[in-house]
Amino acid sequence: MVLLFQWAVNDFFSFVDAWATWLTENSTVIGGELNDTDIGQTTPAAGAFTALSAAAVAYFADKLGVGTASPSHLIDVQGIGGEVAIRVKNTDAAGADPDASFYLDAGNASGEAALEFMKGGLPEARVIALLDKLRLVHDVGPIELHAAGQAALSVSGTAIEPGSDNAFTGGSASKRFSEMFSVDGTINTSDMREKVNIRPLNEAEKRVAQELVNDFRIFQWISAVADKGEAGARLHVGQMAQWVEQKFAEEGLDAGRYGMFTRDKIFRTVTDTKMVQVQKVEKSTQQRTIIEVIDGRATEKTVSEEISVPVYEVLPVFDEAGEAVMVPGPGGPVQKTARVPVLVEEEREFTEEVEDGERLGLRYPELMCFIMAGTLGV
């Protein structure tokens, strides 16, 4: 009897070993079967895994690797070729203006929250958030700002330059700089090799210049008077662009043909609302477990949070001719269905730039040269 029992035990353990080997080599674990199930135990003494590896994810010694089986940082993500390695996306409903946030927390106000870019394992550029400023650092070359598919601004160790030559303006007629500070004045290109049709002023132009010499006036800006009062607003001297245009017209000339005179459209930003189609969402409350340190003790708590759940409906599918699209089913062909978003109309706020008149201007260096050329030596 004892021998029979011993044989049965040995045979049972042989069966278990064979079954474990088969599972290791052939079995597939469906992810859904692991929902709400711990892998390993919660403490090392109870048998936690020291390493957990999958086809593309590895966890070892308090480090998580994605795309690598030997992570060297707390979270080590290694992509292949030119594929996107990390994607941060809000799963809120389509059309609901979701925000996708990525936080770098230095832990205290005096620390630096830094995002570092490396090439070949060597640091090359950084974005650093300090207490009172945001710092962009590039150790190798300039920092370029791109907009609308092209380089708009380049910042190097010696210059701030536009992305390309003679293609960008500083400000606009609608959005102007209030003041420009520099040690020296601006340098205007005056290379003769870049000019054509060079000539002196004609008689009509000289007469305009002689009229303009008497049109310089002292004035105050309306905006400055509104802000500071007449006593506080500073006095300026210059010409009136409308007068300049008029003097040219009196001689049969078009002031718009001359670079000294400018006429630009101005725009203002308006806020309005309109009805748009967005995916319907329903509010739902979900429970989740968090760990909170209370009196120096890690305490597990269950909290409730409200989430937005996108609403879908299942509809039958038809082809372009209006015929039902059929697919194989358990008892024969059935009509194909699709899960589609449920759309509703909502009022949304938007802003746009609308034309708001025009603004006249003068290039004073050219205007002064014009006046001098038409009055000196006459």
Side-chain angles (χ1 to χ4, degrees), residues 61-331:
D62 296 328
K63 294 182 175 65
L64 175 65
V66 180
T68 173
S70 54
S72 56
H73 302 278
L74 292 179
I75 299 179
D76 194 343
V77 180
Q78 297 187 20
I80 300 174
E83 70 179 21
V84 176
I86 298 178
R87 181 186 185 187
V88 179
K89 181 181 178 181
N90 191 331
T91 57
D92 203 351
D97 298 328
D99 296 324
S101 300
F102 184 80
Y103 289 94
L104 293 177
D105 193 342
N108 59 71
S110 61
E112 294 182 358
L115 183 63
E116 188 159 358
F117 301 89
M118 306 180 73
K119 279 189 176 181
L122 299 175
E124 186 169 283
R126 292 172 298 284
V127 179
I128 305 172
L130 302 171
L131 180 62
D132 58 346
K133 63 178 70 75
L134 179 68
R135 180 179 296 160
L136 304 180
V137 181
H138 199 293
D139 296 323
V140 180
I143 296 174
E144 287 189 347
L145 300 180
H146 285 238
Q150 60 180 328
L153 188 68
S154 175
V155 181
S156 68
T158 57
I160 300 176
E161 302 172 320
S164 55
D165 182 47
N166 196 26
F168 298 93
T169 63
S172 67
S174 304
K175 298 178 181 179
R176 302 163 292 168
F177 290 103
S178 60
E179 293 179 292
M180 301 290 291
F181 290 84
S182 66
V183 175
D184 293 312
T186 60
I187 298 175
N188 295 90
T189 300
S190 191
D191 194 323
M192 184 176 182
R193 294 168 297 181
E194 298 186 23
K195 302 177 182 181
V196 295
N197 300 325
I198 302 171
R199 64 169 178 82
L201 270 62
N202 59 35
E203 293 304 315
E205 292 167 338
K206 288 180 181 180
R207 289 192 294 271
V208 173
Q210 292 163 15
E211 289 291 327
L212 291 177
V213 76
N214 298 314
D215 285 345
F216 287 95
R217 295 291 189 275
I218 298 292
F219 65 91
Q220 291 175 299
W221 291 114
I222 294 175
S223 58
V225 172
D227 185 41
K228 305 174 184 177
E230 287 191 10
R234 302 184 69 181
L235 301 175
H236 301 269
V237 60
Q239 291 267 349
M240 310 299 124
Q242 284 81 352
W243 295 359
V244 173
E245 184 180 29
Q246 180 183 343
K247 291 298 192 300
F248 274 89
E250 289 173 354
E251 292 293 336
L253 302 173
D254 179 10
R257 287 276 294 139
Y258 297 80
M260 72 185 78
F261 179 85
T262 65
R263 183 193 307 274
D264 298 285
K265 294 179 180 180
I266 57 176
F267 299 84
R268 61 185 175 91
T269 303
V270 298
T271 302
D272 203 351
T273 59
K274 62 181 178 181
M275 300 301 294
V276 297
Q277 279 197 330
V278 299
Q279 185 174 5
K280 182 180 179 180
V281 296
E282 294 178 344
K283 297 298 183 181
S284 176
T285 301
Q286 70 174 13
Q287 307 288 325
R288 69 185 182 96
T289 302
I290 64 171
I291 300 298
E292 186 175 305
V293 178
I294 301 176
D295 298 330
R297 177 183 297 174
T299 305
E300 185 176 272
K301 298 176 59 177
T302 300
V303 297
S304 299
E305 60 182 8
E306 188 177 77
I307 60 173
S308 297
V309 181
V311 179
Y312 294 87
E313 63 179 336
V314 177
L315 297 177
V317 177
F318 299 87
D319 61 22
E320 295 179 352
E323 299 293 331
V325 177
M326 307 302 291
V327 295

Side-chain angles (χ1 to χ4, degrees), residues 22-23 26-31 33:
W22 186 89
L23 285 176
N26 301 284
S27 65
T28 298
V29 178
I30 306 300
E33 296 178 0

